[in-house]
Amino acid sequence: MLSYHLVQDQRPTLTITPELKQSIHILSLSGYELMQYLQEQAMENPVLEIEVGYDGYRYGKKRGTSTSSIKYAQDPLWNVKPAQDSMETRLQNQLRLLSLPADVYRAAAFLAGNLNDDGYLEAELSDLRGVFKFSDDLLGTALHQLQSLEPAGIACRDLRECLLLQIVRDPEPVPYAEEIVDGYLPLLANGSFDQIALALRINKEQVRSASLYIRSLNPRPGLSMSIPEPHYIVPDAVVRCIGDDFTVALHPSAHPRLSVNKEYREWIKIRQTAEASSYLSSCFKSAHWIERCIEMRKVTLVRVITAMMEEQREFLARGVKGLRPMNLFNISSMLGMHESTVSRAIHDKFVLTPHGVFPLKFFFAASLSTADGSGASSRSVKLRIKELVDAENKSKPYSDQKIVELLFAEGIQLSRRTVTKYREELKILSSTYRRRRL
């Protein structure tokens, strides 16, 4: 027969408390995100105050002080230039000067908003006409007006049209450049000057002259109007070399100092209300825990970055060429930490070194086999491939197999497939397209 009994069972379980979860979250935040998070906490917690940088910027105020009496240090980001007009806005400003009919202007402005960063219209007109129920004739007229704007070549649909728009608007184009672009662009890309000369019944020197002119045109007209949004990076740590040794210091702007306003304890003694006392006690407890989390974050970051630089001493001496292969397991073993802790510590954080500012993840790269068995970093190998390509004879560029042989002579063992993969990641064309015919 089935029956119910009360029994005691003891078993270990892992529980993540809210405080531990908050500590993990703070560790994974970047310097900018940390500042935003602490400001939100300070707005909710009246006893928590924040000091940032050397000038002692204080977030919050003491009891009894007015807002006008608080002195704030000027944030250097206040000096940043305001955002400039986008490519779409500039094109629309030009369209307004053409005094177009309302429906044509509306369609042209719509097309201007569908251009990519290079200034190309990737979508088909047949796909766009159903959005605002534009007719084919209206879209064609709007596209023609848009292509008449500056810079020449804007709103093109492919490279051929982009180059043709620029040649047509050039008052003195090189002879046969328009014919070559219109019908023989693939042959020109392959350097087949003889075939082009035979097809157009011109000499090879005329093809070469037209080729130089075509290469001088802008294949990405939109880039001159697209203003990339600047990204300002405040490094989380600064590494300085002192002789053969180095030091690691946390950047003060990325690691604010916290303090707890103790005047509220005196205030609660005067008021002596149970509700206020309970509320302020929870505020003090939360503020002290955030202080502890920030200190643990600083200690963890210093330990992780110091261990990383210890492994990358060659980088400090020689730059990217001296990068050694490294993974999370190497650092976690050195520090006795879990790999997930190291991963959170390096997430979206930057370090200022004698060779520039680098994300911490930059120093973690796969190991490639070498002749002496020491291993080489994939990043240093990519840099070496770029150096070989930059130094090659452009009339006889290195093939991927030749690069494999040159790297093998230097003790780096790679397959041709790996070299091809790294070359494509570096956005380097194949030897066929890099060849420059004289």
Side-chain angles (χ1 to χ4, degrees):
M1 296 179 62
L2 296 177
S3 61
Y4 295 96
H5 300 279
L6 293 176
V7 296
Q8 290 184 343
D9 185 15
Q10 184 177 6
R11 63 182 67 182
T13 57
L14 180 62
T15 303
I16 298 181
T17 62
E19 290 81 6
L20 181 58
K21 187 177 180 180
Q22 185 182 34
S23 177
I24 294 174
H25 177 66
I26 289 177
L27 177 61
S28 63
L29 294 177
S30 64
Y32 177 73
E33 293 172 338
L34 176 65
M35 193 63 229
Q36 286 187 318
Y37 177 79
L38 292 179
Q39 287 178 351
E40 292 174 359
Q41 295 296 316
M43 291 182 65
E44 298 175 0
N45 193 334
V47 304
L48 184 64
E49 294 184 345
I50 306 174
E51 299 179 5
V52 182
Y54 298 102
D55 296 326
Y57 170 88
R58 296 186 71 85
Y59 183 88
K61 61 180 182 178
K62 294 184 178 180
R63 180 179 57 84
T65 60
S66 62
T67 305
S68 60
S69 65
I70 303 175
K71 295 182 179 181
Y72 296 91
Q74 182 175 356
D75 191 334
L77 294 182
W78 293 351
N79 298 324
V80 176
K81 294 181 179 180
Q84 301 184 24
D85 291 338
S86 63
M87 175 174 60
E88 180 182 0
T89 302
R90 294 187 178 190
L91 292 175
Q92 290 178 355
N93 292 338
Q94 295 184 56
L95 288 172
R96 294 188 184 96
L97 300 177
L98 299 180
S99 300
L100 300 173
D103 56 345
V104 176
Y105 171 81
R106 185 184 177 199
F110 172 73
L111 293 178
N114 283 273
L115 303 182
N116 61 17
D117 293 337
D118 295 334
Y120 283 66
L121 181 64
E122 295 179 333
E124 297 290 339
L125 292 181
S126 57
D127 298 332
L128 297 175
R129 67 184 178 185
V131 178
F132 288 103
K133 297 182 179 180
F134 294 131
S135 65
D136 292 339
D137 293 338
L138 179 60
L139 283 176
T141 303
L143 180 60
H144 175 73
Q145 295 293 338
L146 192 60
Q147 291 178 344
S148 68
L149 304 179
E150 293 294 335
I154 200 70
C156 56
R157 286 162 287 186
D158 52 35
L159 178 61
R160 171 183 161 276
E161 187 178 28
C162 175
L163 300 177
L164 286 175
L165 288 172
Q166 297 178 59
I167 295 173
V168 169
R169 293 172 62 175
D170 189 349
E172 297 181 355
V174 173
Y176 301 104
E178 184 176 356
E179 291 82 353
I180 292 175
V181 170
D182 191 27
Y184 306 98
L185 197 57
L187 292 177
L188 181 65
N190 291 328
S192 303
F193 291 176
D194 293 333
Q195 297 182 39
I196 297 175
L198 182 63
L200 294 177
R201 297 181 181 180
I202 58 178
N203 59 53
K204 191 175 180 180
E205 187 60 35
Q206 289 175 305
V207 177
R208 184 177 294 108
S209 176
S211 173
L212 293 176
Y213 169 75
I214 294 170
R215 290 179 184 274
S216 68
L217 301 177
N218 186 4
R220 298 177 178 179
L223 292 183
S224 60
M225 304 182 71
S226 300
I227 302 174
E229 187 129 346
H231 296 280
Y232 300 93
I233 297 175
V234 178
D236 294 83
V238 180
V239 178
R240 295 184 176 89
C241 292
I242 304 175
D244 295 334
D245 205 352
F246 66 89
T247 61
V248 176
L250 297 180
H251 197 285
S253 296
H255 298 85
R257 291 185 299 175
L258 300 181
S259 60
V260 177
N261 192 336
K262 298 181 179 180
E263 293 186 5
Y264 281 94
R265 292 190 183 275
E266 302 298 327
W267 180 82
I268 199 62
K269 291 180 181 178
I270 299 174
R271 298 294 180 178
Q272 291 184 351
T273 60
E275 184 178 357
S277 178
S278 175
Y279 171 71
L280 286 179
S281 296
S282 63
C283 289
F284 277 110
K285 181 180 178 181
S286 175
H288 286 306
W289 176 251
I290 293 177
E291 273 189 306
R292 184 181 175 186
C293 291
I294 295 298
E295 290 302 318
M296 289 190 295
R297 181 182 187 272
K298 292 179 181 179
V299 172
T300 303
L301 276 180
V302 170
R303 291 185 63 196
V304 169
I305 296 174
T306 302
M308 290 172 56
M309 294 300 107
E310 194 68 40
E311 285 287 296
Q312 300 290 353
R313 283 183 175 270
E314 282 295 312
F315 165 81
L316 296 177
R318 300 168 50 203
V320 179
K321 295 180 180 179
L323 271 178
R324 293 183 53 190
M326 187 174 67
N327 54 39
L328 295 176
F329 179 76
N330 299 138
I331 304 302
S332 62
S333 300
M334 291 175 59
L335 301 176
M337 293 181 179
H338 196 274
E339 291 183 32
S340 62
T341 304
V342 178
S343 177
R344 292 187 182 96
I346 67 173
H347 174 69
D348 204 15
K349 297 178 180 65
F350 295 81
V351 59
L352 174 60
T353 71
H355 304 286
V357 178
F358 296 90
L360 291 180
K361 288 186 176 181
F362 175 82
F363 299 96
F364 294 87
S367 176
L368 302 175
S369 59
T370 57
D372 58 4
S374 59
S377 170
S378 59
R379 297 191 187 277
S380 61
V381 173
K382 289 180 183 179
L383 178 63
R384 183 55 185 153
I385 292 175
K386 186 176 185 305
E387 291 176 347
L388 291 173
V389 171
D390 291 341
E392 69 185 0
N393 183 355
K394 298 305 178 184
S395 61
K396 295 181 180 179
Y398 295 137
S399 64
D400 291 346
Q401 184 59 38
K402 182 62 177 179
I403 295 177
V404 170
E405 296 172 0
L406 293 174
L407 293 176
F408 184 79
E410 298 178 4
I412 303 174
Q413 302 172 3
L414 286 182
S415 65
R416 188 188 62 80
R417 181 179 298 178
T418 303
V419 170
T420 303
K421 173 186 173 183
Y422 287 171
R423 176 178 56 76
E424 292 175 350
E425 290 178 357
L426 293 170
K427 301 186 184 305
I428 298 175
L429 298 175
S430 65
S431 58
T432 303
Y433 293 100
R434 298 202 312 271
R435 182 176 292 110
R436 185 177 301 166
R437 289 170 172 79
L438 302 177

